[in-house]
């Protein structure tokens, strides 16, 4: 009697938009070591602040919804915001994420040691706290009343690019993402004086999209980024656009969705810059490589600044404009972003197949040597191609 052979299980590789696709675009080899090897990064500055600001804004929204007293702005850091920060810090610690030194003071007035702070006068409003306060008081008051859903998990599937029967791992791949916030706006009842609605309605491309709407209601996808506004000539600038447009595609597949007209990215660091953020802004301004250029006093202060000086104080309208990025959503741009991510999946899949076929990790995965990423990369001492030079291992 011939025994039947059990067929191979049907398997669809699933990719997270930020955790896989954007991480691979940053550097394929680093992504491989972090994600496929499940090793956490040792200095996750970007990761910590990104998680922190997401948690704080979400908790602030919940408290705003539950407590009528908090419907007035500005919120005070000591009495309204500090408790939220400590709560989020506790949650992140339970996941193994600790604030990097100099970014956040985790202590209270009763702490009797200096810890990593400049002195014992806790709590200190260090830069992470300056940013949370600025984000809540600049955007929270306009954003919270527009929120219809927060932390929206989305999932979709697409045909596997360059599929080859018997060679490719699957004929489809899954794509997942979490939208920070979906805002719902009714054209006739849009709140007056709302800075976000004002920015949308005064954006040239947006006016055409809104005029062509067949319904009164529309949606805006919102994403918070714990970083500065990238230069428009950087790869990151495009990656963020593809991410938001892909969210728009995933959201449009949900039956309860309404027409999505725009994505908004809030670059939170623009509200309170670090020295490094300011150095990059100076470079972008000198090279004319940013879409929101300073003028008047802001321009003078930026051009005169150098890293030995105190950070310049820039005007609030300039900081607001730099911290909000509007990405109009239309079918052509969605299609383009999906094609871009198909290419990324195709590249990841071919690296996986190369490794399965016996090639070494460093030969299978592409590197993307960029000084900013490489200096903070855990794998730079054995990476074959780090920037700006090779690194030798040092004893801790
Ligand atoms: S050192 Fe740079 S190129 Fe090498 S793995 Fe790290 S980020 Fe990638
Ligand atoms: Zn402190």
């Amino acid at each position: 009697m011939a025994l039947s052979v059990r067929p191979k299980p049907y398997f669809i590789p699933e990719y997270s938009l930020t955790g896989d696709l954007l991480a691979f675009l940053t550097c394929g080899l680093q992504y491989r070591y972090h994600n496929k090897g499940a090793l956490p990064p040792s200095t996750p500055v970007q990761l910590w602040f990104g998680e922190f600001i997401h948690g704080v804004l979400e908790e602030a929204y919940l408290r705003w919804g539950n407590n009528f007293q908090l419907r007035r702005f500005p919120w005070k850091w000591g009495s309204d915001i500090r408790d939220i920060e400590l709560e989020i810090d506790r949650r992140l610690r339970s996941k193994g994420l600790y604030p990097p030194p100099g970014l956040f003071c985790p202590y209270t007035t009763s702490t009797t040691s200096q810890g990593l702070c400049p002195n014992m006068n806790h709590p200190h409003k260090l830069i992470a706290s300056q940013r949370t306060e600025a984000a809540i008081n600049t955007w929270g008051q306009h954003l919270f009343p527009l929120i219809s859903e927060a932390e929206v998990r989305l999932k979709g599937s697409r045909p596997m690019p360059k599929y080859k029967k018997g060679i490719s791992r699957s004929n489809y791949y899954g794509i997942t993402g979490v939208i920070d916030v979906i805002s719902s706006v009714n054209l006739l009842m849009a709140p007056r004086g709302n800075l976000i609605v004002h920015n949308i309605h005064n954006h040239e491309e947006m006016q055409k999209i809104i005029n062509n709407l067949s319904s009164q209601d529309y949606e805006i996808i919102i994403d918070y980024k714990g970083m500065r506004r990238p230069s428009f000539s950087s790869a990151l600038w495009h990656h963020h656009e593809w991410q938001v447009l892909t969210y728009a595609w995933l959201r449009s597949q949900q039956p309860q969705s309404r027409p999505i007209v725009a994505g908004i990215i809030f670059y939170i660091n623009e509200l309170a810059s670090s020295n490094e953020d300011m150095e990059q802004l100076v470079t972008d301004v000198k090279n004319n490589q940013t879409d929101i250029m300073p003028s008047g006093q802001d321009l003078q202060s930026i051009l005169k600044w150098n890293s030995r000086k105190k950070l310049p104080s820039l005007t609030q309208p300039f900081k607001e404009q730099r911290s909000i990025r509007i990405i109009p959503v239309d079918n052509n741009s969605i299609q383009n972003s999906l094609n871009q991510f198909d290419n990324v999946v195709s590249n990841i899949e071919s690296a996986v197949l190369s490794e399965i076929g016996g090639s070494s990790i460093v030969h299978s995965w592409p590197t993307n040597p960029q000084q900013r990423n490489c200096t903070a990369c855990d794998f730079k001492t054995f990476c074959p191609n780090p920037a700006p030079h090779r690194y030798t291992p040092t004893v801790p």
Side-chain angles (χ1 to χ4, degrees):
M1 189 183 88
L3 291 176
S4 60
V5 178
R6 184 192 288 193
K8 279 188 189 168
Y10 184 59
F11 145 91
I12 296 182
E14 196 169 273
Y15 288 103
S16 139
L17 207 42
T18 47
D20 295 297
L21 304 186
L22 293 185
F24 177 83
L25 282 167
T26 303
C27 175
L29 185 59
Q30 188 188 48
Y31 161 73
R32 165 64 179 85
Y33 283 133
H34 274 166
N35 286 280
K36 304 270 167 193
L39 304 170
S42 66
T43 49
V45 177
Q46 182 68 45
L47 186 63
W48 182 85
F49 182 63
E51 295 264 334
F52 179 72
I53 193 72
H54 276 88
V56 167
L57 288 176
E58 185 168 5
E59 183 63 27
Y61 166 62
L62 293 176
R63 293 190 186 194
W64 172 88
N66 293 334
N67 183 351
F68 206 74
Q69 302 284 322
L70 291 175
R71 297 284 167 99
R72 46 109 193 105
F73 287 91
W75 285 14
K76 291 196 182 72
W77 182 67
S79 53
D80 302 328
I81 300 175
R82 181 64 184 162
D83 184 53
I84 300 178
E85 292 183 344
L86 293 174
E87 165 72 28
I88 301 305
D89 179 43
R90 271 194 296 275
R91 281 188 216 162
L92 294 184
R93 281 168 195 266
S94 69
K95 294 202 289 182
L97 281 176
Y98 292 83
L103 215 59
F104 177 70
C105 164
Y107 311 114
T108 60
T109 37
S110 55
T111 309
T112 50
S113 70
Q114 183 174 336
L116 296 169
C117 283
N119 52 48
M120 288 212 309
N121 302 330
H122 310 296
H124 295 89
K125 201 199 283 183
L126 300 183
I127 193 153
S129 298
Q130 292 163 26
R131 288 174 181 158
T132 57
E133 184 186 29
I136 290 171
N137 287 330
T138 307
W139 295 118
Q141 58 175 315
H142 300 286
L143 178 63
F144 296 163
L146 300 180
I147 294 179
S148 58
E149 290 173 65
E151 291 272 311
V152 186
R153 290 179 186 277
L154 302 167
K155 210 168 183 172
S157 63
R158 301 197 33 88
M160 180 64 81
K162 301 187 188 155
Y163 171 68
K164 283 201 197 87
K165 201 167 179 198
I167 296 176
S168 302
R169 294 197 296 167
S170 178
N171 52 347
Y172 279 88
Y173 75 91
I175 184 159
T176 61
V178 184
I179 299 182
D180 290 334
V181 164
I182 294 180
S183 293
S184 181
V185 179
N186 180 291
L187 274 179
L188 301 177
M189 296 193 299
R192 282 169 178 271
N194 186 296
L195 207 52
I196 295 173
V197 176
H198 172 85
N199 273 287
I200 289 274
H201 288 191
N202 283 286
H203 187 284
E204 210 179 304
E205 264 180 84
M206 290 308 312
Q207 287 171 351
K208 275 187 242 144
I209 294 175
I210 290 174
N211 288 342
N212 287 335
L213 274 179
S214 53
S215 76
Q216 296 292 346
D217 296 304
Y218 65 82
E219 288 182 352
I220 306 164
I221 284 170
I222 310 253
D223 195 65
Y224 313 126
K225 298 246 181 255
M227 60 170 68
R228 69 180 289 272
R229 187 186 195 89
S231 154
F232 58 63
S233 59
S234 68
L236 205 54
W237 180 257
H238 300 289
H239 299 168
H240 290 170
E241 179 174 346
W242 302 343
Q243 178 196 350
V244 164
L245 290 165
T246 305
Y247 282 156
W249 173 74
L250 288 166
R251 172 67 176 173
S252 67
Q253 324 254 314
Q254 294 192 307
Q256 75 271 34
S257 68
R258 277 160 289 195
I260 302 141
V261 299
I264 292 182
I265 298 179
F266 287 114
Y267 292 110
I268 303 295
N269 291 22
E270 293 292 342
L271 298 171
S273 298
S274 65
N275 265 38
E276 197 192 339
D277 295 331
M278 192 55 68
E279 275 168 21
Q280 291 177 44
L281 177 60
V282 170
T283 309
D284 286 353
V285 169
K286 284 185 177 159
N287 297 330
N288 223 345
Q289 293 289 307
T290 180
D291 59 329
I292 305 289
M293 283 288 280
S295 59
Q297 190 54 45
D298 290 322
L299 180 62
Q300 297 301 322
S301 313
I302 290 169
L303 292 179
K304 275 197 285 187
W305 182 80
N306 66 52
S307 55
R308 289 183 304 278
K309 293 186 182 166
K310 214 171 133 244
L311 283 165
S313 77
L314 303 173
T315 61
Q316 184 62 17
F318 177 64
K319 289 196 278 190
E320 277 169 14
Q321 283 309 307
R322 284 197 55 85
S323 71
I324 181 171
R325 176 180 178 193
I326 296 174
I327 298 168
V329 170
D330 67 52
N331 284 339
N332 286 345
S333 42
I334 287 182
Q335 201 47 54
N336 174 49
S337 68
L338 293 173
N339 293 342
Q340 300 289 351
F341 282 131
D342 281 349
N343 283 337
V344 177
V345 169
S346 167
N347 291 338
I348 297 179
E349 285 291 315
S350 63
V352 170
L353 290 178
S354 155
E355 213 184 308
I356 292 172
S359 293
S360 68
I361 291 178
V362 288
H363 282 112
S364 302
W365 295 82
T367 54
N368 180 19
Q370 306 272 338
Q371 186 169 348
R372 214 167 158 255
N373 295 332
C374 297
T375 44
C377 175
D378 289 342
F379 316 111
K380 57 182 180 273
T381 52
F382 52 89
C383 169
N385 194 24
H389 53 73
R390 293 195 73 86
Y391 295 81
T392 38
T394 49
V395 180

